Every structure is written in C-alpha cells, then in structure tokens.
C-alpha cells in the first residue's frame, strides 16, 4: 500500500485552491496517493465555470489584488488552476464532493463538473480517506 495525502478543501479562495492543488500534485509526483475532499466554499470551485471565481484570501483590493497575483503567476510560468486540476486527475488524484454541503447549499450533481469528481460522500468518506493517510491538511 502506498503512502497517502488527504486534503480538506474548505476555502474557495484562489490562493488556497492553488495551495491544495500544488501540495496534492507534489504528493502524486512523489509516488503517493492523493485525495481532495471539497466542502463548503471549496465545493463552489467545482461548479461549472466556478474554478476561477474565488477571491484572494488577503490583499483582494476589490479584485485588483487577484489580477496582480495572476499576472505575476503568469510571468513566473505557474500553471493555471485548470492545468493543475488536469494534472492532478492525470496523475491519479481523487476528488470527493461533500454531499452534506451540497444539500445545505442547494448544489445538485448537475451543477458540478462531473469530469473532475470521483466520488460523493459525507464525513465518513473523508474519515476513511484520512484514516489511511500519512499527511492530512485542512485548507
């Protein structure tokens, strides 16, 4: 059994989504398994056309901060969020959507990007993933 990383993606902030994807892709590239459990505002990023909609967690400046960070990331050749998600899936990463959050926030499966989601589950699904993980994070 290989080592495993499980990350709860609670925040929908652009910089935090990037952090979760970079850590998860790093784990996969080092031969580990990786699961991302999207809940609450993180789940909003899995909506169709929702990936790039999150604000920055700090320095938002009415949207100017996000534009500035994206510009600097582009100059530094940082992969897009879409590319990071695609790489994550190609490397065998697993995405779980929180069913409880879907119910609370009125999100249906048809609202979400089915091409990304491997499973739907509640806290027990997360616990099962985390129980077998060497690394667990809450972002």
């Amino acid at each position: 059994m290989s080592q495993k990383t499980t990350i709860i993606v609670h925040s929908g902030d652009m910089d935090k989504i990037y952090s979760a994807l970079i850590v998860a892709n790093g784990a996969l590239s080092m031969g580990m398994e990786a699961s991302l459990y999207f809940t609450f505002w993180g789940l909003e990023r899995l909506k169709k056309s929702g990936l790039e909609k999150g604000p920055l967690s700090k320095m938002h400046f009415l949207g100017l901060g996000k534009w500035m960070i994206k510009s600097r990331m582009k100059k530094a050749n940082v992969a897009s969020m879409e590319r990071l998600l695609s790489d994550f899936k190609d490397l065998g990463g697993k995405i779980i959507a929180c069913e409880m959050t879907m119910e609370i926030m009125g999100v249906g499966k048809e609202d979400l990007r089915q091409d990304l989601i491997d499973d739907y589950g509640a806290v027990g699904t997360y616990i099962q993933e985390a129980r077998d993980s060497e690394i667990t994070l809450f972002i």
Side-chain angles (χ1 to χ4, degrees), residues 14 56 59-60 63-73:
M14 182 192 91
L56 280 175
M59 298 180 0
H60 187 61
L64 187 60
K66 182 176 176 179
W67 173 83
M68 183 179 69
I69 293 294
K70 287 180 102 173
S71 174
R72 288 180 171 221
M73 290 172 80

Side-chain angles (χ1 to χ4, degrees), residues 4-6 24-25 27-28 32-36 88 92-95:
K4 187 174 184 178
T5 298
T6 300
N25 280 334
L28 289 166
M32 297 179 78
E33 294 178 31
S35 296
L36 297 174
F88 177 77
K94 181 178 180 181
I95 292 180

Side-chain angles (χ1 to χ4, degrees), residues 23-40:
V23 170
N25 280 334
L28 289 166
S29 69
M30 295 177 76
M32 297 179 78
E33 294 178 31
S35 296
L36 297 174
Y37 183 79
F38 282 80
T39 188
F40 287 97

